[in-house]
Amino acid sequence: MKKMFAAIAVMAILTTGLLSSCATKEHAINRLEKFSYELRDHSAYYTMDEWKQAAEKFVDIRKDIKKHEFEYTAEQKKKIGVLEGKCAGYMAKGAKEGFFDKLKGIGNEINGILQGILNAVTDFVE
């Protein structure tokens, strides 16, 4: 009876670990998707501070996705690429309108992120 209980306990712990890992990597994609909607719906009205916060949030989401890059399926990677492309498009539009030029310290990082996204998408397509 004790062995059976121990086996069930071990299986429960392993299952919980596997599910939380899956939820975490899915959570990163969901955050990116939600962020793309946020940019789509509200970025036209962003102030300088809101653009700075958006840029920092994008960097944070990218770090979260990077942690799980080897766990994603080809389909998930494609979805990530599409969502990053959408975000990059909204951010590029903001840069075009001069918002990022005025941000201190983060403008170069955003330019680097946009370039990295374009490179990643190009690599993914090839």
Side-chain angles (χ1 to χ4, degrees):
M1 184 74 145
K2 287 183 181 182
K3 288 182 181 181
M4 183 179 208
F5 178 74
I8 291 172
V10 168
M11 287 180 66
I13 291 169
L14 290 174
T15 303
T16 303
L18 292 173
L19 291 177
S20 66
S21 174
C22 185
T24 303
K25 74 177 187 176
E26 283 295 322
H27 179 69
I29 296 173
N30 291 340
R31 283 182 65 206
L32 182 61
E33 186 169 35
K34 184 177 177 186
F35 183 63
S36 73
Y37 295 149
E38 182 182 314
L39 288 174
R40 178 194 69 197
D41 296 341
H42 303 290
S43 65
Y45 310 104
Y46 277 6
T47 64
M48 296 299 289
D49 285 337
E50 288 170 320
W51 273 116
K52 183 176 179 180
Q53 290 170 1
E56 290 169 355
K57 185 174 184 177
F58 185 71
V59 169
D60 183 55
I61 292 170
R62 282 295 309 137
K63 286 179 184 177
D64 197 14
I65 288 171
K66 185 78 171 159
K67 289 178 192 174
H68 305 284
E69 70 181 318
F70 298 111
E71 300 171 30
Y72 291 122
T73 65
E75 178 92 12
Q76 288 171 318
K77 288 179 181 182
K78 182 177 179 181
K79 182 176 183 177
I80 290 167
V82 168
L83 292 170
E84 287 176 339
K86 287 181 180 182
C87 291
Y90 296 122
M91 290 180 172
K93 184 177 180 186
K96 178 182 169 190
E97 295 169 1
F99 290 111
F100 290 125
D101 293 342
K102 297 175 186 174
L103 292 176
K104 295 179 181 174
I106 201 144
N108 289 337
E109 185 174 358
I110 291 300
N111 286 332
I113 289 169
L114 292 174
Q115 185 61 48
I117 289 170
L118 293 174
N119 290 344
V121 170
T122 303
D123 291 345
F124 185 75
V125 172
E126 294 174 352

